[in-house]
Every structure is written in C-alpha cells, then in structure tokens.
Amino acid sequence: MTMTKQLTLKEKWLQDRPFLEEIARFHEVIETILDQVPFKVEKMKNLDAAKDEFNRGIPVLKCEHVTVPIFEQACQALKALTSLADYKEVPEPFRASCSSLGKVMEQDEAFIRAVIHSLMNEDYQTLGEIIEKHQLNEGIIWFLGWTALSYVLQPHLSELQQWERQQSWNREYCPTCGALPNMAQLKRSNKGRKRHLICGCCRSQWLYKRMGCPYCKNEDPNLLRIMEINEEEDIRVDVCNSCNSYIKVYTNKGEEEAALLDWMTLHLDLLLKERGYVKMGTHLINI
Ligand SMILES: [Zn+2]
Ligand SMILES: [Zn+2]
C-alpha cells in the first residue's frame, strides 16, 4: 500500500524535476536489490538499559548496554548491494567499484563485518585502514554501507524514535547513529512550528532548536539567514554565515517521502555551491 503511494509521489516529484531521472533510476535499482534480501527482523530488547549512556550523549547504536539487532542483516544487505555492478542503470565508475568490492568480499570473509562494525561505531580509523588495504573507493563504501544499515534499521525506527522522544536529546547529531543531519523539516505543534533535523545516514528525525546552526552551533541572529528559493516553494534554506554552511528545510507536510530525500533536491545543493556555500553534515551522496 505505502509502496504504491510512495511511487506515485516520487513520480510526481520527478515529473516536475526531469533532471533527476538518472539518479532516481539508480535508487530504484537499489530498492529492487534490497527488497530481495531475505532478512529476519529480530525484536529489540528493552531500550531503557541504554538510558544513562544515551542521556550522556551517546547515540543508541553505540550504547554498550543495548544492541539493536541489525548487524547480521546489514552484512547481508551490503553483500547484496555489490550486485549493482550488474545493472546498466548504474554509472560505470560505480559499477567498477562494486565489482572490486564484491571480489574483496569473496576473498576476505572478515571484510564485510569489519566495514559494518566500523560504520556503526563511527570507527573511522579502522574503516580507513580497511579501505587503504584493499585500495577501495571510500565514498562508495560509505554509501553502500549506510544504504545497507539504514535499510535494515527501518523496521525498528518507529520504536527507536518513540523511545528517543521520551528522553530529551536536543543535540545537533543523530540520536540513533550519531551522524550530523542533512535535512530538516518544520512541523506544526501546539506551541508553533518546530524544527526537526533528519539524519542522512539512518533517516532518524529529532527535535532541535528553531534558530541555530547544527554544524557550528552558532546562534548569533546576525549570522543566520533564511533563504527562500524560487525553484522549490516548499523548501527553504537555513544559512549560517559563521561556518558558511546551510541546511535544506521542508516547510510543508504530506510529501515527506520525496521531499526529505536529500537527492530529490540535489539541484538546490548545486545552486548553493555556486553561491559559495558548503554542504556539511553527513551525506550519502556528495557533490
Ligand atoms: Zn542517524
Ligand atoms: Zn554554522
């Protein structure tokens, strides 16, 4: 049911933004591959065991006292994604990288587990060493690893977020995985509109102050600006002139499944880059 709705909404977005067709086809292939991975959703244990760590600022996936059961599933999903090498919809350099990645996985059984483990624990030193050892493309490992992790995390996300909302997080990084946000949404509440940040890696959402840069924590109103963009009436851009960054904010509701996907508004990133702004945060696709 949701699938049909999502397709229709995405199709509608793409009709208005034909230049995104190629990247949309690429994402369709990814969805097709992942839908075929037969993985078992295990029940999460009581998250309250993580309460102390979480309230000290440790994201759930890194809390020692609770394990979200997605590790094995993410390894399976990552392995499946190397078959992107076989699809003509996938750009050539990317296909070549997937194919070398597939070969490394065949030769080195510990490889997939090490990649997923480092991504989940933000252990970038180990990840860097693995990548260097096998001479792989870092951006692609990052993209595929997080695509796999976020896919297997989705069945747990509403329970996780419900728990996270009961605590008070209010930090600039993701309460689930620790990444910096890549989009935001303004949502109506009985106390006016509130700004929610959205994680580009695991797709969690969390409440954050309405004014203030999530990248450098600048709160000086003279250095913060809201930019309206002619091309997209439901997206505004919150700009920070202290660190020269920006975050795209969806200001409407109802079209979240398209509007909150970073790549659906990649044209705005190009526009902002031309104006000298830097895309910060953790993104799966860097331009
Ligand atoms: Zn996250
Ligand atoms: Zn800033």
Side-chain angles (χ1 to χ4, degrees), residues 19 42 46 90 102 104-105 181 263 274 277:
F19 44 87
E42 286 170 37
N46 186 2
V90 178
V104 173
M105 285 178 187
W263 61 266
E274 275 170 23
Y277 291 101

Short mmCIF file of all heavy atoms in Angstrom, two decimals, residues 19 42 46 90 102 104-105 181 263 274 277:
data_model
loop_
_atom_site.label_atom_id
_atom_site.label_comp_id
_atom_site.label_asym_id
_atom_site.label_seq_id
_atom_site.Cartn_x
_atom_site.Cartn_y
_atom_site.Cartn_z
N PHE A 19 15.43 16.41 -14.57
CA PHE A 19 16.89 16.26 -14.49
C PHE A 19 17.33 15.26 -13.42
O PHE A 19 18.48 14.89 -13.33
CB PHE A 19 17.55 17.63 -14.24
CG PHE A 19 16.84 18.45 -13.20
CD1 PHE A 19 17.15 18.31 -11.86
CD2 PHE A 19 15.83 19.33 -13.57
CE1 PHE A 19 16.48 19.05 -10.90
CE2 PHE A 19 15.15 20.07 -12.61
CZ PHE A 19 15.46 19.93 -11.27
N GLU A 42 14.57 -9.06 14.00
CA GLU A 42 14.55 -9.54 15.39
C GLU A 42 13.98 -8.46 16.29
O GLU A 42 14.12 -7.28 16.02
CB GLU A 42 15.98 -9.86 15.83
CG GLU A 42 16.52 -11.14 15.23
CD GLU A 42 18.00 -11.28 15.50
OE1 GLU A 42 18.45 -10.90 16.59
OE2 GLU A 42 18.71 -11.76 14.59
N ASN A 46 14.63 -4.25 25.62
CA ASN A 46 14.23 -3.00 26.27
C ASN A 46 15.32 -1.93 26.19
O ASN A 46 16.43 -2.11 26.67
CB ASN A 46 13.90 -3.31 27.74
CG ASN A 46 13.33 -2.11 28.44
OD1 ASN A 46 13.15 -1.05 27.83
ND2 ASN A 46 13.05 -2.26 29.72
N VAL A 90 23.29 1.76 -13.50
CA VAL A 90 24.29 2.27 -12.56
C VAL A 90 25.47 2.86 -13.33
O VAL A 90 25.96 2.23 -14.27
CB VAL A 90 24.75 1.11 -11.63
CG1 VAL A 90 25.82 1.57 -10.67
CG2 VAL A 90 23.54 0.54 -10.89
N GLY A 102 32.99 -6.57 -4.49
CA GLY A 102 32.50 -7.96 -4.48
C GLY A 102 33.65 -8.95 -4.40
O GLY A 102 33.60 -9.94 -3.67
N VAL A 104 36.71 -8.41 -3.18
CA VAL A 104 37.33 -8.36 -1.85
C VAL A 104 36.49 -9.18 -0.86
O VAL A 104 37.01 -9.92 -0.04
CB VAL A 104 37.47 -6.90 -1.36
CG1 VAL A 104 37.94 -6.85 0.08
CG2 VAL A 104 38.43 -6.13 -2.25
N MET A 105 35.18 -9.05 -0.96
CA MET A 105 34.30 -9.77 -0.05
C MET A 105 34.43 -11.28 -0.19
O MET A 105 34.31 -12.02 0.77
CB MET A 105 32.84 -9.38 -0.30
CG MET A 105 32.52 -8.01 0.24
SD MET A 105 30.82 -7.56 -0.13
CE MET A 105 30.81 -5.87 0.42
N PRO A 181 22.98 16.01 10.77
CA PRO A 181 21.78 15.99 9.92
C PRO A 181 22.08 16.40 8.49
O PRO A 181 23.08 17.08 8.24
CB PRO A 181 20.89 17.04 10.58
CG PRO A 181 21.85 17.98 11.22
CD PRO A 181 22.98 17.12 11.72
N TRP A 263 18.61 13.57 -2.17
CA TRP A 263 18.90 13.63 -3.61
C TRP A 263 17.76 14.23 -4.43
O TRP A 263 17.96 14.65 -5.56
CB TRP A 263 19.30 12.25 -4.15
CG TRP A 263 18.27 11.16 -4.04
CD1 TRP A 263 18.16 10.26 -3.03
CD2 TRP A 263 17.22 10.84 -4.97
NE1 TRP A 263 17.11 9.40 -3.27
CE2 TRP A 263 16.52 9.73 -4.45
CE3 TRP A 263 16.81 11.38 -6.19
CZ2 TRP A 263 15.43 9.15 -5.10
CZ3 TRP A 263 15.73 10.80 -6.84
CH2 TRP A 263 15.05 9.71 -6.30
N GLU A 274 27.19 27.16 -6.02
CA GLU A 274 27.52 28.30 -6.89
C GLU A 274 27.58 29.59 -6.10
O GLU A 274 28.34 30.50 -6.42
CB GLU A 274 26.46 28.46 -7.99
CG GLU A 274 26.67 27.60 -9.19
CD GLU A 274 25.47 27.62 -10.12
OE1 GLU A 274 24.68 28.59 -10.08
OE2 GLU A 274 25.31 26.64 -10.87
N TYR A 277 28.35 28.42 -0.78
CA TYR A 277 28.07 27.74 0.49
C TYR A 277 28.56 26.28 0.45
O TYR A 277 28.67 25.68 -0.62
CB TYR A 277 26.57 27.78 0.81
CG TYR A 277 26.12 29.17 1.15
CD1 TYR A 277 25.46 29.96 0.22
CD2 TYR A 277 26.41 29.71 2.41
CE1 TYR A 277 25.07 31.26 0.53
CE2 TYR A 277 26.03 31.01 2.72
CZ TYR A 277 25.36 31.78 1.79
OH TYR A 277 25.00 33.05 2.09
#
